Amino acid sequence: MTDVFEIPFAIDLAAVGIGAVQGALAASQIRDRKIDMFGIAIVGILTGFRGGIIRALLLAQVPMALQNNWYLLVATAAALVGMALSSLFHRLGMLVMVLDAVAIGLFGALGTTAALAASLPVLPALFVGVASAVGGGMLRDLFLGQPIAVMHVGSLYAVASGLGCAALVVLVWLGSTVTIAGLGCVAVTVVIRLLAVRFNLYIPEQRSVRLRRPKRR
């Protein structure tokens, strides 16, 4: 049985805070309707928790974020700060993106190892890991009534997480400790995410295959 990748409490809270800021920034860009402070807080909490709630539902567990008061407090405060200082955070877009990529990797590692520890097969464990990493963004878009970003042509958001989680599984299979494998997951996720943004890499959009009818002679 695989041990669960452990994130230091302070780093875990920081990752939640970065996610909450991201949620607030997304909400601040909506111009066709007004969102009050309570709405901003809800969006920030959902984004800050990432897919931890989804992971807990899939594994029949109580979300870690609901087992300590600090997670809700940090997510709410970070969301409100992100709303108040949205122009500043937009100017720090690259820094926020890098930190967000690190958080995606951390939550992907946590979700994948939690699934492996629950004796799930590899492919379902990878699914849980990716859902843990990008689920917060999906919930954010749903609550904001926006197109779900990970399902549209973009900067390999979910793909970076998936490859990072796959790297973790390979490292565990090769005998690495969970800590080393988890850090490898974070590194792969961050590198692919940044390369995708730098070189505008993306998965081609869906297209149906057109079959030509043979010409009659």
Side-chain angles (χ1 to χ4, degrees), residues 54-137:
I54 296 176
R55 178 187 71 239
L57 290 174
L58 292 173
L59 299 179
Q61 299 172 346
V62 177
M64 288 295 297
L66 299 181
Q67 298 181 39
N68 188 300
N69 292 326
W70 281 105
Y71 289 99
L72 282 169
L73 291 173
V74 168
T76 302
L80 296 178
V81 170
M83 176 193 68
L85 303 178
S86 59
S87 58
L88 172 62
F89 283 110
H90 280 302
R91 288 197 294 269
L92 298 174
M94 180 57 68
L95 175 61
V96 173
M97 187 197 67
V98 171
L99 295 175
D100 185 59
V102 173
I104 292 171
L106 290 172
F107 278 76
L110 178 59
T112 304
T113 55
L116 291 174
S119 300
L120 266 64
V122 170
L123 291 181
L126 289 174
F127 174 78
V128 173
V130 175
S132 179
V134 305

Side-chain angles (χ1 to χ4, degrees), residues 136-151:
M138 297 175 65
L139 292 175
R140 174 200 65 205
D141 295 336
L142 285 173
F143 269 68
L144 292 176
Q146 300 290 99
I148 299 177
V150 298
M151 297 178 63

